[in-house]
């Protein structure tokens, strides 16, 4: 009886190594901006300045009234639901089409740093901007020069 040696490709682990290194973007052609239901999730930019944090969400085609922004404990939750119904009536039939577009994004805010009472939001030209001010004690102060006596 002869033994058969199974051929193993020495490069089998290489794609996994690349995936782990680059965060699953190379071999996974699905974009992270798609949810499990294949609907898009708006991309977010988060900026920090000395005075505040700013969250920008790219959400073109929506109206201000389509958004729901709320704060639960330290979580900022941004969601949207847009329904659209089209109906066509002809002689012997009616055709209705429904379209639902929704998403939800949440961000955990640092409790000791953020002034939750003064958070402001604005939607203009497809961009939702949320300004989250920092508390006075959390703002970076300019360095203090100490004179030598």
């Amino acid at each position: 009886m002869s033994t058969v040696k199974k051929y193993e490709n020495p490069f089998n682990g290489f794609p996994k190594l690349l995936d782990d290194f680059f965060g699953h973007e190379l071999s996974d052609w699905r974009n992270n901006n798609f949810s499990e239901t294949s609907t898009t999730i708006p991309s977010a930019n988060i900026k920090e300045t000395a005075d505040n944090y700013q969250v920008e969400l790219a959400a073109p085609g929506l109206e201000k009234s389509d958004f729901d922004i709320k704060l639960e404990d330290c979580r900022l939750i941004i969601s949207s639901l847009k329904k659209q119904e089209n109906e066509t009536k002809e002689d012997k039939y009616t055709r209705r089409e429904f379209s639902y577009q929704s998403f939800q994004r949440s961000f955990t805010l640092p409790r000791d740093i953020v002034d939750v009472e003064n958070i402001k939001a604005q939607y203009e030209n497809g961009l939702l901007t949320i300004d989250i001010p920092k508390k006075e004690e959390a703002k970076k102060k300019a360095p203090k020069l100490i004179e030598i006596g």
Side-chain angles (χ1 to χ4, degrees):
M1 174 161 107
S2 67
T3 59
V4 178
K5 187 172 182 179
K6 181 180 174 187
Y7 172 76
E8 290 189 27
N9 185 350
F11 298 107
N12 273 347
F14 191 68
K16 176 151 176 36
L17 176 67
L18 286 177
D19 284 348
D20 291 343
F21 184 76
F22 289 107
H24 303 286
E25 287 292 322
L26 287 181
S27 64
D28 187 1
W29 292 100
R30 293 173 299 158
N31 188 335
N32 284 340
N33 286 357
F34 285 90
S35 70
E36 293 174 2
T37 60
S38 296
T39 57
T40 58
I41 299 173
S43 296
N45 294 329
I46 301 174
K47 297 184 223 176
E48 180 181 9
T49 66
D51 296 329
N52 68 352
Y53 294 98
Q54 188 176 64
V55 177
E56 296 176 328
L57 235 62
L62 298 175
E63 302 292 328
K64 288 179 186 181
S65 59
D66 294 332
F67 292 101
D68 184 26
I69 304 170
K70 58 186 170 183
L71 192 63
E72 289 181 5
D73 286 328
C74 291
R75 283 186 35 207
L76 178 69
I77 301 168
I78 306 163
S79 59
S80 174
L81 173 63
K82 184 172 184 168
K83 280 194 316 187
Q84 183 176 349
E85 296 182 18
N86 295 327
E87 186 173 334
T88 305
K89 290 187 177 188
E90 292 190 17
D91 291 336
K92 295 186 180 188
Y93 68 92
T94 299
R95 181 177 121 188
R96 292 182 83 176
E97 294 183 9
F98 300 97
S99 173
Y100 295 95
Q101 179 182 3
S102 67
F103 73 86
Q104 179 174 326
R105 301 272 326 244
S106 64
F107 303 92
T108 302
L109 303 177
R111 182 182 304 244
D112 300 336
I113 296 175
V114 172
D115 180 6
V116 296
E117 299 301 320
N118 292 306
I119 296 174
K120 295 182 178 138
Q122 176 180 334
Y123 182 71
E124 188 175 327
N125 297 328
L127 187 66
L128 177 66
T129 305
I130 303 170
D131 289 316
I132 307 164
K134 292 181 180 179
K135 292 180 180 176
E136 282 301 317
E137 58 269 16
K139 293 180 182 178
K140 291 183 182 177
K141 302 205 182 340
K144 179 181 177 183
L145 293 175
I146 301 172
E147 289 187 36
I148 300 173

